[in-house]
Amino acid sequence: MAGLLAKFGHYTHAVVRGIPSSLATEALRSSEAEVDLTRARQEHADYVEVLRTRLGLEVVELPADEALPDCVFVEDAAVVCGDTALITRPGAVSRRGETEAMKEALKKLDLNLVEMTDENATLDGGDVLFTGQEFFVGLSKRTNQRGAEILADAFKDYAVSTVPVTEGLHLKSFCSMGGPGLIIIGASEHAQKALKTMQQMSNYRYDKLTVPDDLAANCIYMNLPGKGHVLLHSTGDTFPESFKVLEKLTDCTLIAVSGSEKMKVDGALTCCSILINKKTDI
Ligand code: GLY
């Protein structure tokens, strides 16, 4: 397992998708905040540019689909680990169509596809935390036990544990990996409780970094050739207090990425890309 952890965060490709105009009015959301579409598109273009130019990933950009207002949140449509891609069955009916384009894109990348066809199963990728050693799957409004069981079948090399998500949209709405063995977690009571559950269920030891804002705990960790450890995180404008905590991470390159418009429709940084490692030897 140590060998697998050594490759944790290695990526060569990213799949992203454009923002349809329908996001502004029809994307699912928990608040009534109004989305500035122009700003959301600019933020997304900046995010994609970081992946492509600053980090050197090969980016596959799927076109936006007006009939799928949430389609920019590609993470929910598939879970990729190694050379296997699980095409999910998203919990929201309005989002089920998002998997079609994702399936085609991942097929072209020569991944082994597993499709979640069981009509009793639901799973959003935002509920899936891969630590490099095991999976945690949030049981939320979007993801159920059957979905977690199918994920466990698809990725048999890893243990899969479930965690109740009692508030917020997804498991990763309040946590993510900050590096091998490091979980970044929000300060809210439900986030801390979920972390305790994960620690109790695991055979591994994880360090934690608590940030005051739950959504600021959603970061993207990568370990890239020639770049080393990199952490994409929300900007200081969006979360000033959490920014101060993240700034203390001195052993990685910190890249601040703005996503405040997408947050109005419950989108976080990890939601907007599927990261893939096509080179097993880097
Ligand atoms: N707007 C993201 C979601 O609710 O799935």
Side-chain angles (χ1 to χ4, degrees), residues 227-240:
K227 315 245 179 246
H229 301 276
V230 175
L231 192 73
L232 272 63
H233 61 92
S234 291
T235 60
D237 288 349
T238 315
F239 295 120

Side-chain angles (χ1 to χ4, degrees), residues 23 27-30 69-70 73 76 92 95 98 124 142 169-170 262 264-267 271:
L23 173 127
L28 301 171
R29 69 201 74 193
S30 54
D70 283 290
F73 302 123
D76 293 318
R95 300 198 55 189
E98 293 173 29
D124 281 11
R142 300 287 177 82
L169 180 59
H170 291 131
K262 289 183 272 185
K264 292 177 181 170
V265 282
D266 301 324
C271 305

